Amino acid sequence: MHELQVTESILNIALKHAPADKVKKIVAIHLNIGELSDLENEWIQQYFDYLSKNTLAEGAKLVIERIPIRLKCDSCQNEFEIKRDEIKNIKCRQCGNKKCSLIAGRDYFIKNMEVI
Amino acid sequence: MEEVRLIEIKEEIHSDNTVKAKQLRDSLSKNKTFLLNLMSSPGAGKTTTILKTLEIIGDKLRSSVIEADIDSMVDAEKIAAKGIHAVQLRTGGFCHLDASMVEKGLEGMNLKDFDLVIIENVGNLVCPAEFDTGAIKNVMILSVPEGDDKPLKYPLMFTVCDVLLVNKIDYLSLSDFDIDAMKERVLNLNPKIRIFEISSKTGEGVQAWADWLTNEVKQFTAQ
Ligand SMILES: Nc1nc2c(ncn2[C@@H]2O[C@H](COP(=O)(O)OP(=O)(O)OP(=O)(O)O)[C@@H](O)[C@H]2O)c(=O)[nH]1
Ligand SMILES: [Mg+2]
Ligand SMILES: [Zn+2]
């Protein structure tokens, strides 16, 4: 897996938004990651702790919100959420149609961060 | 106690790669070069399928292959041995290609000299799915020995691809691979995906796929 590369991007983006004259320390970074991603939460935090040494983000906690998989029915436009293990049996909750389009669940997003 | 403030970021984690991929696609459009990103598990038949496909396409298109083997030249040499232009990328054990690596692969060639460039991505169904390579179309191979449950285990890969090649269909009669169930699972995840059933060993079905690809490239380069 490419957790290391992903973690590096997260750190770089966070530091970019933290001007040294205004931010003393980054305390937490909030991420939205889609349920469809295979990213491992624990690994990201471990890599992050390692990469962020001696930066403003040292010690920051990564708070990961998993974004549910959302589908939209191609036939009746109904939107609904499913769990990852329900993928084997996708069906519109309203009309039973099996053709549905993915509208969320692939997210890979840094929402905001807490700083002092 | 110092007060904690919130800074809004709202940025894609892969934003650098997404920007690079878009630039690459713009440059490909300008040069009328069709870039195809081919992904699969190790051994599903990427190299064999590329060879068979380009054999059928022949000189209808000016083609090239970018190989992303994990630090070996084996596949690039196989391609070059058939007289096909091939570039070896050093991925240094990376689990996927991203747009800047692909850009490096394209650097040494004059894009105007090629209609079609096929990338053989790193053998892996997880990581390549998350990185836009700048390709015009994404294609994946699922081979019969891998089993018909792969769409359930690697859903993201199946949602990002435009085409699925079901390879090694010469094994179908020897296995319990349920092709209809597999197709239903895939179409469920991605109703717009095109599916071709092929055997790169016997050549069965490869013509239809090669025709489709040739047509896509021609449409693209005629724009
Ligand atoms: N029976 C059968 N064997 C195939 C077919 N396509 C490929 N193979 C065999 O499968 C093996 C792997 O094929 P490759 O083309 O090297 O697969 P690959 O995906 O490029 O492999 P890596 O680059 O190592 O990930 C080889 O022994 C091929 O001869 C097929 O349609 N039927
Ligand atoms: Mg190969
Ligand atoms: Zn519906």
Side-chain angles (χ1 to χ4, degrees):
Chain A
M1 266 312 272
H2 48 265
E3 270 81 3
L4 193 58
Q5 196 188 7
V6 168
T7 314
E8 221 175 341
S9 303
I10 296 170
L11 179 62
N12 290 339
I13 294 172
L15 292 176
K16 189 177 78 187
H17 288 265
D21 58 332
K22 298 206 181 81
V23 173
K24 259 190 266 173
K25 194 172 154 36
I26 300 174
V27 184
I29 303 172
H30 293 260
L31 311 168
N32 285 355
I33 294 183
E35 238 1 295
L36 272 174
S37 158
D38 290 286
L39 219 57
E40 296 284 348
N41 295 8
E42 293 145 53
W43 280 108
I44 310 188
Q45 183 71 56
Q46 284 194 22
Y47 283 140
F48 190 85
D49 292 347
Y50 169 76
L51 290 172
S52 62
K53 284 213 174 76
N54 302 318
T55 72
L56 289 178
E58 181 168 350
K61 191 170 169 5
L62 300 182
V63 185
I64 298 174
E65 185 187 343
R66 286 285 181 167
I67 303 300
I69 304 170
R70 260 187 98 71
L71 299 166
K72 184 174 183 180
C73 171
D74 284 359
S75 158
C76 76
Q77 315 298 317
N78 174 37
E79 285 183 21
F80 57 102
E81 285 176 12
I82 60 162
K83 298 238 156 48
R84 203 184 147 109
D85 58 11
E86 288 173 301
I87 270 171
K88 50 172 136 336
N89 195 9
I90 298 174
K91 215 193 266 171
C92 172
R93 300 264 158 80
Q94 195 161 288
C95 74
N97 174 32
K98 287 188 170 179
K99 297 224 162 172
C100 302
S101 305
L102 188 69
I103 54 175
R106 284 168 53 179
D107 318 63
Y108 240 61
F109 194 70
I110 305 186
K111 204 162 50 176
N112 55 33
M113 61 186 179
E114 297 169 39
V115 303
I116 50 177
Chain B
M1 262 301 276
E2 274 170 291
E3 206 174 325
V4 175
R5 295 175 283 137
L6 207 61
I7 296 185
E8 288 298 324
I9 297 187
K10 297 207 171 105
E11 235 183 82
E12 291 292 332
I13 293 176
H14 295 320
S15 53
D16 289 356
N17 186 61
T18 310
V19 169
K20 178 119 266 166
K22 199 188 161 294
Q23 287 170 352
L24 197 54
R25 247 191 305 277
D26 288 346
S27 147
L28 289 161
S29 298
K30 228 181 282 147
N31 288 291
K32 300 187 185 301
T33 305
F34 188 100
L35 184 66
L36 184 96
N37 176 25
L38 184 61
M39 299 174 281
S40 83
S41 306
K46 294 180 293 299
T47 309
T48 317
T49 302
I50 290 171
L51 286 173
K52 198 84 199 169
T53 306
L54 292 183
E55 187 187 313
I56 291 176
I57 291 177
D59 55 14
K60 285 203 280 291
L61 300 172
R62 300 166 301 163
S63 313
S64 172
V65 178
I66 296 180
E67 278 296 336
D69 236 345
I70 300 186
D71 277 343
S72 89
M73 302 275 288
V74 180
D75 288 350
E77 279 166 5
K78 263 190 218 162
I79 308 265
K82 297 274 176 193
I84 298 162
H85 184 269
V87 177
Q88 176 68 47
L89 270 187
R90 294 252 155 225
T91 49
F94 250 64
C95 50
H96 63 274
L97 286 183
D98 63 21
S100 48
M101 292 189 254
V102 172
E103 191 183 41
K104 246 191 222 117
L106 295 171
E107 246 164 34
M109 48 204 273
N110 188 358
L111 285 183
K112 288 211 180 338
D113 292 343
F114 295 96
D115 306 309
L116 169 65
V117 178
I118 302 179
I119 309 169
E120 176 170 344
N121 211 314
V122 181
N124 176 339
L125 287 182
V126 180
C127 313
E130 299 198 356
F131 289 85
D132 190 342
T133 55
I136 308 299
K137 292 275 184 217
N138 291 302
V139 176
M140 72 166 294
I141 299 178
L142 174 65
S143 65
V144 169
E146 293 171 75
D148 54 32
D149 59 349
K150 291 300 164 288
L152 307 179
K153 291 190 179 160
Y154 305 99
L156 187 60
M157 177 58 82
F158 289 84
T159 62
V160 302
C161 283
D162 304 289
V163 174
L164 166 65
L165 301 174
V166 187
N167 189 32
K168 308 196 187 180
I169 52 167
D170 50 304
Y171 276 135
L172 268 181
S173 57
L174 301 169
S175 78
D176 58 0
F177 191 99
D178 185 339
I179 199 153
D180 292 328
M182 189 280 300
K183 276 190 186 166
E184 195 177 320
R185 285 169 187 153
V186 173
L187 288 170
N188 227 271
L189 285 171
N190 182 354
K192 290 170 198 89
I193 201 166
R194 298 271 320 214
I195 303 178
F196 294 93
E197 297 168 30
I198 64 170
S199 166
S200 291
K201 191 178 177 191
T202 67
E204 191 184 345
V206 183
Q207 182 79 49
W209 145 247
D211 287 347
W212 179 87
L213 178 60
T214 309
N215 193 36
E216 286 288 311
V217 176
K218 292 229 155 118
Q219 273 182 26
F220 180 81
T221 53
Q223 269 168 26

